[in-house]
Amino acid sequence: MTANVSRRTALALAPAMLAASSVRAAEPPKDPPVFRIGALLGLTDKGNWNATVMQRGIMMAVDEINAAGGIAGIKVEAAIEDHQGVPRVGVDALQRLRARYDIQAVLLSYSTVGLAAAPICEENKIFMLDGGSVTDGLVGKFSYLFHNRSVASVMARAAMTVAKKNGYKKMAQMASSTDDGQSLLRAAEADWKAYGGTIVGTETGLPTASNIDTQMAKLRTAGGDFLAIWEFSPGPGLVLKRAREFGMTQQAIGIEFTAEILKVAGAHAEGYVFATDYFNPEAADPWPQRFAADYRKKYGDNPEVYAANYYEGIYIIAEAIKRARAGGGNYFTGERLKQALDASPVVPSVYGGNMTFQPDGTGLKRVGIFKVVDGKAVFQNFAEVSR
Amino acid sequence: MELFAQLLVNGLGNGSYYALLGLGFGLIFGTTRIVHFAYGPVFAFSAFAVWMAGKFLGLPLWIAVLFGPAAASVGGAAVYWLAYRPFEQRGMSSHSVLILSLGLTIVLESALTLGFGPSIHTFPDFAAPIFILGPVFVTGLQLAETVTLLVLAVALTRFLQHTRYGKGILALGDDRDMARIVGIDTDRISLVVFALGSAISAVAGVFTLLNEGATPTMGFYPVFVAFVVAVVGGLGSIPGAIAGGYMVGLVESLGLWQIPTEWQNSIAFVLLFVVLMLRPQGLFVGMKR
Amino acid sequence: MDLVLHVGVMICLYAILATSFNLLIGFSGLFAFGHATFYALGAYTTAILTQRLHLPFPIPLLASMLLTGGVGLAIALPSLRISGIYLIITTLALQVIAIDIIINWTSLTGGPSGLSGIPPLSIGGYVLSGPAHFLPVAFAAAVICFLVARHIGNAPFGRALRAMRENESAAASVGKNIFYMKVSVFGLAAALASVAGSLFAHYLSYVGADSFQVSETVLILSMVVVGGTGNLIGSVVGAAFLVLLPEVLAFVDLPQGFEGQLRLLIYGCVLILFLVFRPEGLLREPRRGGRRVAAGATPIALSTKTAFVGPLLTGTGLQKRFGGIVAIAALDISLSAGRITGLVGPNGAGKTTAFNLLTGFLRTDAGEIRYKGKVLSELKPHELVRAGIARSFQDLRLFTGMSVLENVLVALPRQSGDRLSALFLRPGSVRREDEANTAKAMGILEFIGLGERAMDLADDLSYAEEKLLVVARLIATEAEVLLFDEPLSGLDGAAMQKIIDLLRRLAADGKAVCIIEHNLDAIRNACDHLVYLDEGRALAQGDPNTLMADPELVQRYFR
């Protein structure tokens, strides 16, 4: 609650700050004692494994950066708050981060919490980065919000390239009744209809539902050349398992594969094809390799998309900080971080190569198609998705 | 028709599972009238016990499953003895006991999460066998659920009717004050009820572990279902819990045949609402007999 | 600074929710478990009206209150049929169904995505966005809602609610309309909760189903219980406590990687410890029951001096079956003014059933009940009390959690403060009337000999005093036909004589009194007329001395 300036002071200072920004190249950078980056995660939400993985990714990136001497010698710290999957609790947590640390950059997760928190960040010029949700509801509405996970429109279309390539005509789909699941469903339906495909069955289930027997029985009767799964970890695991147990043999196509999904689906995961941000620890790029190896060493698991994205999120913000610092002046502000990425939207990605932020804030990553073989995700090809 | 047959089988399979939940919860709730939300973490605890027996002791499944009911009965009895009983002795209002059970749920779920981590735990190398009967697919778990339910229901009925403790439970469920007046140790009977009811529902917990894996919060939804089943069937009635379980299972399964599956969550509760409006005492009249 | 303001806003919103919930569970004893439904309805109604239809303040707020209040009325209906545990589960079911409707009615509610970008509250051209501008509004709303709740809680209506909480049938037996009370308190609590929802929608600019899950109802309930049920200030304190607790815990440094779970664990432990050390909540239910006032100038207006000639109440050919068992086969009974009729007979003869039939607590299968010549068979208990027929219960059914004075006060007839409309439209006259009624109630207590105990809880009375209070409560109804179910049982000589004298006095003042009694001395001493009931029939009627000398009856009963 200390470093926060009241709105009135901020208004009074605005002209001065404008003047400052025009001459900032000449000014030496005003370094903060520490770069504190906030994060709103569903630590005690029902599906909190994903939050745990995100937290691991964040902590790993912070430790790495600090071990390497921080950013320009200044240490990075993560301030992680629990949003419990409840929008109001997320806003409470955000206000705490602002009061306690005058937070300038925050990592978001969980779309409905993001929808409640983003307006406050936007108004208070806080840089936001979301590596978890794929909802279209958060795209293009907030100038301070960036996404480093490919959003629904990209993911769904990438998944559909598999169906098109295999010459499928009839789609049966199972979607979770969440914002993200429905976003994928909408994007996939639009793409599939434009392609001329038909939809023979659409079923929804709660993200926490353990009984999806009726859905699967109906989908089996509906037939379809393939089964599209618009659910998030661990949902696809149960869908795969029940589909196979009910004797559904068609290709299953989804957008996520995690250790949790594999655990639930077991052998039934075999042959599952999914589109995801291209992360290939076996590829030649050194960063993905190093990250995957270190993560395995530290936590004993393979890194999942949520670990990689939140790990990457810290690095993206660190990169933005470096660039903003080069401009001098009071550079560690949400506004300057945003300007830094707006000015040059290309950043290195832990997925290999670079990622480019589009004008709507979404990061353009390569999306890869993977197939589960012997319980492992095996890279097939890159999905060609026009934007 | 194929679909109908499959849905019918699914409904029966899930009905057995729901009936197991309702049987255990109904026994506790019907006898002690404690709205025992903390049944959720006890349920999860039983699944973790089986998981540990398989993972760390390397026990085969058929032995490991016995750890579930054993752990749940200890856990359930401990919750009663250490938490509910002192509150009841002080004559606390039902609101306070309800909040107590909700607070306990928070504490126990957090403790389980801290102990086991939030990730899904599955029994090592288990895959349920699948049977194909014409157009219908049945899993070995669905069959096992039905068989265990019937065995447990018969055993529980005999226990209640023919043993001293069983009769004490019936008397307590009938009229608490009267039971006390005729010299029944109500605390001890309640303890037995908690141990027994938790053990029965742990059977359902073990099936959840085998079906989809265990998480610390896995008991959240089953408590609601158990509540609904027990009330729909008639509190404290064994035939009621079974009828309630199958009714919820079949209505959910067959109802979603025509109703879009988005409404899955509501169906059991709509059923509950309708039953209570038509027959406030539930389908079967429980303890009073 | 924004954090403090934000927390302030949250406390205000939850204070509204907790006080309104307290009206239901604390005051009325209606353990509904779905308060977040009303919160959600208020939020969504405001969001939709503001965002889609661009309606200006206060139209969305009023519409939210109206709609949610209406839904509250509907949700009250189950509570008329079921109670206790069954009401908990039913209202829980309704909340789950409501959330499902919200999630699935995508075209209206945005479905799982919810509605975002709701415009901030704008009052008279001032846009109130951000915690600093919003807090005054939230505070004002919380104060108004609190005052409304307090006004209701302290008024005759609130007293009637508490009587209903203590004992529903007893409340009906003193003329309270249970249907009206349940429906209106549900509607009112729902409307108040919707105010919090409406403000929430503007404040957060986002509404989604995740904000109104069962866990939210649990939170509000915890606030009420922690603060103390039946105490409205307690609800405000409880709201503040449970909003602040996580904030404070967030500042406690905990081992990295486990902070979230550990904080939740501590939160749960604090909640439990709280129940252990403050089982009744932070604040106890206040002693209401008005100030002690001087008894009215005239002791009481007992005399009714009806112009009606003939028996006041007659039942002819009454019949009642329970399943296959005939409780009342064919009963003819008539009660006349100025007379004490004794209803006697062995256990299971149907005496209490007869009372239940005459006072509308049970419907007759056949037969006719006439009061002053008019057929009353279709009336409900509270309507019969208003018409002039009141009864007491064998098991007393005093409002034990209320003061002695309130037990009498609540029974007085024609209280305009029992109606919400009067409470808000004519608060002044309601208050004056209640002052007069308090004096009247004091008069009755003085007359009965309980004046000294007026301010004590009914729970603290001795058995003899309880019996007296039953009589006082029945007198207060101003009914002309008074049916006492075993008013003398368990009393010793002096206490018994005191009540018999009271009954005589009532009869002398023109009341028709009927008692169920077993004590033969008491019957001989008190009754002018006896009806001997056995196997559901009036086997004999007449003068007590004659009847008690009848050899056959002596053999059967009067030994």
Side-chain angles (χ1 to χ4, degrees):
Chain A
M1 273 166 269
T2 46
N4 208 347
V5 283
S6 77
R7 182 184 307 272
R8 189 168 300 164
T9 347
L11 285 174
L13 286 176
M17 274 154 60
L18 272 179
S21 65
S22 59
V23 296
R24 69 188 173 214
E27 241 184 84
K30 274 171 61 184
D31 288 326
V34 61
F35 295 116
R36 210 172 258 110
I37 299 168
L40 299 180
L41 308 180
L43 296 176
T44 61
D45 187 17
K46 290 266 168 289
N48 44 7
W49 172 250
N50 293 343
T52 307
V53 168
M54 292 172 187
Q55 194 175 15
R56 286 176 175 181
I58 291 171
M59 295 323 298
M60 209 172 124
V62 167
D63 291 346
E64 275 180 24
I65 292 173
N66 288 340
I71 305 168
I74 301 163
K75 288 223 180 298
V76 178
E77 255 183 52
I80 297 172
E81 288 275 357
D82 182 15
H83 63 54
Q84 301 178 358
V86 179
R88 192 262 311 164
V89 180
V91 170
D92 289 352
L94 176 65
Q95 295 291 14
R96 238 174 358 247
L97 287 175
R98 289 183 55 220
R100 231 176 145 180
Y101 304 121
D102 188 21
I103 218 83
Q104 294 301 319
V106 65
L107 298 169
L108 299 180
S109 67
Y110 203 89
S111 69
T112 54
V113 174
L115 285 164
I120 297 167
C121 292
E122 185 79 7
E123 193 186 329
N124 294 287
K125 300 195 166 116
I126 296 170
F127 179 89
M128 296 172 273
L129 188 61
D130 188 346
S133 64
V134 302
T135 174
D136 41 21
L138 276 169
V139 176
K141 295 193 175 128
F142 303 98
S143 65
Y144 282 78
L145 175 59
F146 294 78
H147 299 264
N148 66 326
R149 183 179 196 184
S150 294
V151 290
S153 55
V154 177
M155 299 293 267
R157 280 186 295 149
M160 300 315 272
T161 60
V162 180
K164 292 173 190 168
K165 196 166 137 192
N166 291 0
Y168 299 148
K169 291 277 174 270
K170 291 184 284 185
M171 170 165 75
Q173 50 182 353
M174 174 75 193
S176 101
S177 65
T178 58
D179 189 15
D180 289 315
Q182 298 298 308
S183 288
L184 284 167
L185 184 86
R186 283 192 294 271
E189 279 186 354
D191 185 59
W192 191 241
K193 281 181 188 153
Y195 169 71
T198 53
I199 299 164
V200 293
T202 302
E203 300 298 333
T204 38
L206 284 172
T208 51
S210 55
N211 175 8
I212 53 164
D213 293 357
T214 306
Q215 284 91 332
M216 298 324 288
K218 284 169 95 170
L219 286 175
R220 187 185 74 180
T221 307
D225 300 327
F226 69 106
L227 171 64
I229 305 174
W230 311 125
E231 298 214 13
F232 298 85
S233 179
L238 195 61
V239 175
L240 287 167
K241 181 172 192 259
R242 296 308 274 156
R244 300 308 178 218
E245 285 178 349
F246 279 138
M248 296 171 72
T249 52
Q250 66 263 59
Q251 180 66 55
I253 300 176
I255 48 91
E256 201 169 275
F257 183 65
T258 62
E260 300 283 278
I261 293 173
L262 178 61
K263 270 197 255 177
V264 176
H268 298 302
E270 211 54 24
Y272 169 54
V273 169
F274 61 100
T276 187
D277 291 341
Y278 172 71
F279 180 75
N280 189 1
E282 318 303 330
D285 287 321
W287 198 16
Q289 275 194 2
R290 182 167 55 79
F291 165 66
D294 290 352
Y295 189 90
R296 270 190 221 108
K297 204 162 89 191
K298 198 163 178 184
Y299 300 111
D301 295 329
N302 279 317
E304 297 171 5
V305 60
Y306 295 108
N309 282 357
Y310 284 78
Y311 171 86
E312 182 181 75
I314 294 289
Y315 272 98
I316 291 171
I317 292 172
E319 180 67 24
I321 292 173
K322 274 184 220 159
R323 291 180 193 175
R325 188 172 187 273
N330 182 19
Y331 65 91
F332 187 52
T333 65
E335 188 168 21
R336 291 284 299 276
L337 297 181
K338 166 190 166 343
Q339 284 167 358
L341 285 193
D342 284 345
S344 111
V346 182
V347 291
S349 167
V350 73
Y351 288 73
N354 287 326
M355 173 169 69
T356 310
F357 285 110
Q358 304 300 298
D360 64 3
T362 57
L364 189 55
K365 280 181 175 174
R366 285 183 302 179
V367 178
I369 303 297
F370 293 78
K371 183 173 189 173
V372 178
V373 180
D374 294 331
K376 286 203 177 65
V378 177
F379 175 64
Q380 306 290 302
N381 56 276
F382 288 112
E384 299 303 328
V385 181
S386 59
R387 293 192 64 96
Chain B
M1 200 55 222
E2 251 175 58
L3 177 59
F4 179 80
Q6 182 69 58
L7 291 178
L8 190 66
V9 168
N10 291 352
L12 291 172
N14 289 323
S16 307
Y17 173 82
Y18 293 157
L20 280 169
L21 284 172
L23 202 57
F25 187 81
L27 183 66
I28 295 175
F29 186 40
T31 313
T32 65
R33 297 289 154 148
I34 294 173
V35 185
H36 177 36
F37 275 110
Y39 178 79
V42 172
F43 177 86
F45 181 57
S46 69
F48 278 105
V50 175
W51 175 79
M52 284 196 290
K55 175 95 177 175
F56 298 126
L57 304 179
L59 295 173
L61 182 63
W62 66 274
I63 300 180
V65 293
L66 301 177
F67 281 67
S73 56
V74 172
V79 165
Y80 171 71
W81 202 256
L82 301 176
Y84 294 134
R85 192 183 59 110
F87 271 66
E88 282 202 320
Q89 283 172 343
R90 292 163 60 180
M92 307 254 310
S93 68
S94 55
H95 316 127
S96 302
V97 176
L98 180 67
I99 297 290
L100 170 71
S101 87
L102 292 165
L104 270 178
T105 307
I106 293 174
V107 170
L108 296 176
E109 272 186 5
S110 302
L112 280 175
T113 309
L114 289 168
F116 293 96
S119 74
I120 294 176
H121 296 66
T122 49
F123 196 83
D125 304 320
F126 172 81
I130 293 156
F131 305 98
I132 303 167
L133 310 168
V136 177
F137 285 69
V138 187
T139 70
L141 288 178
Q142 286 172 327
L143 293 176
E145 278 163 359
T146 311
V147 172
T148 19
L149 168 70
L150 297 179
V151 171
L152 283 175
V154 171
L156 183 64
T157 310
R158 295 191 67 85
F159 172 78
L160 289 179
Q161 285 170 354
H162 299 292
T163 64
R164 197 166 56 87
Y165 274 114
K167 288 175 186 161
I169 290 171
L170 290 179
L172 187 59
D174 244 3
D175 187 331
R176 196 175 186 83
D177 296 330
M178 191 53 81
R180 197 171 279 135
I181 289 166
V182 300
I184 290 171
D185 181 347
T186 54
D187 284 359
R188 188 198 292 231
I189 295 287
S190 298
L191 186 70
V192 172
V193 163
F194 264 84
L196 200 61
S198 304
I200 293 171
S201 305
V203 176
V206 174
F207 282 116
T208 306
L209 168 73
L210 297 178
N211 230 334
E212 66 201 76
T215 62
T217 53
M218 68 189 276
F220 180 79
Y221 188 64
V223 176
F224 285 89
V225 177
F227 207 160
V228 171
V229 168
V231 171
V232 164
L235 276 182
S237 158
I238 294 173
I242 294 173
Y246 281 113
M247 194 159 165
V248 172
L250 287 172
V251 168
E252 192 178 62
S253 189
L254 297 174
L256 290 173
W257 184 21
Q258 299 301 331
I259 302 168
T261 44
E262 290 96 291
W263 297 96
Q264 180 178 15
N265 216 18
S266 293
I267 284 195
F269 287 97
V270 171
L271 175 71
L272 170 97
F273 189 74
V274 171
V275 169
L276 279 186
M277 287 301 103
L278 297 177
R279 251 183 97 79
Q281 70 277 38
L283 294 174
F284 287 73
V285 179
M287 297 294 189
K288 309 263 182 228
R289 67 188 115 193
Chain C
M1 198 52 205
D2 270 7
L3 177 65
V4 176
L5 298 170
H6 168 75
V7 168
V9 170
M10 284 300 134
I11 291 175
C12 291
L13 296 190
Y14 280 107
I16 294 173
L17 291 167
T19 44
S20 59
F21 201 20
N22 202 351
L23 282 181
L24 279 179
I25 64 171
F27 282 73
S28 320
L30 295 168
F31 205 158
F33 201 65
H35 214 54
T37 315
F38 304 136
Y39 186 29
L41 276 171
Y44 272 98
T45 309
T46 294
I48 291 162
L49 294 182
T50 316
Q51 196 174 32
R52 299 263 170 84
L53 303 180
H54 309 289
L55 295 177
F57 179 84
I59 297 171
L61 174 67
L62 296 176
S64 296
M65 292 175 70
L66 217 59
L67 181 85
T68 314
V71 171
L73 300 184
I75 289 185
L77 297 178
S79 78
L80 295 168
R81 219 168 131 67
I82 51 185
S83 62
I85 286 161
Y86 295 98
L87 185 60
I88 298 179
I89 181 87
T90 310
T91 42
L92 180 70
L94 289 173
Q95 166 156 17
V96 173
I97 294 166
I99 296 291
D100 236 23
I101 293 172
I102 287 175
I103 290 182
N104 287 320
W105 197 346
T106 309
S107 60
L108 187 72
T109 63
S113 314
L115 298 167
S116 49
I118 299 154
L121 191 59
S122 158
I123 299 177
Y126 291 97
V127 178
L128 305 167
S129 84
H133 293 95
F134 201 82
L135 183 59
V137 179
F139 184 73
V143 169
I144 291 169
C145 289
F146 177 82
L147 291 177
V148 167
R150 200 185 62 168
H151 181 56
I152 292 162
N154 288 341
F157 180 78
R159 189 187 305 136
L161 288 180
R162 285 179 293 119
M164 176 173 78
R165 172 193 74 191
E166 296 296 318
N167 195 307
E168 202 172 303
S169 55
S173 82
V174 296
K176 299 301 162 194
N177 183 345
I178 301 293
F179 175 86
Y180 171 79
M181 287 199 289
K182 283 187 174 176
V183 168
S184 51
V185 77
F186 257 106
L188 192 95
L192 286 177
S194 78
V195 173
S198 178
L199 294 175
F200 179 80
H202 283 299
Y203 178 64
L204 223 59
S205 83
Y206 169 75
V207 292
D210 288 328
S211 295
F212 311 105
Q213 298 286 359
V214 175
S215 54
E216 201 67 12
T217 297
V218 170
L219 178 62
I220 304 166
L221 175 65
S222 308
M223 289 167 175
V224 175
V225 173
V226 162
T229 49
N231 188 317
L232 290 170
I233 296 172
S235 294
V236 176
V237 176
F241 180 74
L242 287 186
V243 168
L244 288 172
L245 180 59
E247 296 295 332
V248 172
L249 289 177
F251 285 86
V252 179
D253 281 322
L254 292 166
Q256 207 174 51
F258 305 102
E259 314 94 314
Q261 285 302 335
L262 280 172
R263 285 201 183 101
L264 200 61
L265 186 79
I266 298 172
Y267 175 86
C269 289
V270 172
L271 203 59
I272 292 172
L273 286 177
F274 210 90
L275 290 172
V276 172
F277 291 107
R278 298 291 302 202
E280 301 306 318
L282 275 170
L283 301 178
R284 289 181 165 276
E285 178 160 14
R287 287 286 175 84
R288 298 188 186 81
R291 290 143 287 118
R292 183 184 202 97
V293 293
T298 46
I300 33 166
L302 275 180
S303 34
T304 34
K305 297 297 178 223
T306 170
F308 188 76
V309 188
L312 281 178
L313 184 70
T314 55
T316 38
L318 302 181
Q319 207 180 82
K320 185 69 191 174
R321 255 185 235 97
F322 297 108
I325 301 160
V326 179
I328 297 285
L331 175 65
D332 295 321
I333 190 167
S334 67
L335 305 176
S336 302
R339 195 166 76 169
I340 299 181
T341 305
L343 198 54
V344 296
N347 282 326
K351 301 186 295 289
T352 298
T353 308
F355 267 23
N356 282 332
L357 293 178
L358 290 173
T359 53
F361 280 83
L362 287 174
R363 284 252 170 286
T364 51
D365 294 332
E368 192 181 71
I369 297 165
R370 281 173 185 271
Y371 175 67
K372 295 188 181 175
K374 274 186 303 211
V375 179
L376 293 184
S377 307
E378 291 304 306
L379 293 188
K380 295 200 173 59
H382 71 270
E383 291 166 328
L384 285 169
V385 178
R386 286 180 197 166
I389 307 163
R391 58 88 58 94
S392 73
F393 298 91
Q394 195 183 336
D395 55 353
L396 309 190
R397 303 193 190 175
L398 290 172
F399 307 121
T400 47
M402 296 163 69
S403 74
V404 170
L405 176 61
E406 278 187 303
N407 265 272
V408 177
L409 194 46
V410 77
L412 288 169
R414 297 177 300 277
Q415 300 191 35
S416 58
D418 278 349
R419 287 192 316 276
L420 284 179
S421 52
L423 275 186
F424 289 106
L425 299 178
R426 294 181 281 112
S429 77
V430 167
R431 200 180 56 244
R432 281 190 298 279
E433 183 194 298
D434 204 45
E435 277 163 10
N437 275 341
T438 309
K440 204 165 167 186
M442 273 309 295
I444 294 173
L445 284 174
E446 300 282 358
F447 167 72
I448 216 106
L450 281 176
E452 290 303 311
R453 308 291 316 252
M455 292 299 138
D456 295 331
L457 276 188
D459 210 17
D460 298 335
L461 295 182
S462 71
Y463 187 65
E465 287 171 328
E466 285 180 345
K467 289 275 202 184
L468 281 172
L469 184 54
V470 168
V471 177
R473 194 169 74 177
L474 213 51
I475 292 175
T477 62
E478 294 178 11
E480 291 179 51
V481 179
L482 302 175
L483 306 166
F484 292 91
D485 200 343
E486 304 201 9
L488 308 170
S489 63
L491 295 178
D492 60 14
M496 189 185 283
Q497 194 54 49
K498 187 167 184 188
I499 293 199
I500 291 174
D501 290 346
L502 278 170
L503 298 180
R504 290 233 151 271
R505 170 82 193 272
L506 290 171
D509 274 325
K511 308 266 187 194
V513 177
C514 179
I515 65 173
I516 293 174
E517 201 37 71
H518 289 291
N519 185 314
L520 299 186
D521 287 340
I523 293 167
R524 200 172 283 121
N525 185 346
C527 298
D528 307 309
H529 183 80
L530 274 195
V531 176
Y532 178 76
L533 201 63
D534 202 352
E535 290 165 2
R537 295 168 191 282
L539 288 189
Q541 314 204 14
D543 174 64
N545 292 320
T546 322
L547 240 59
M548 291 168 83
D550 184 309
E552 196 198 327
L553 293 184
V554 166
Q555 216 236 324
R556 283 182 85 128
Y557 182 69
F558 297 117
R559 263 170 293 168

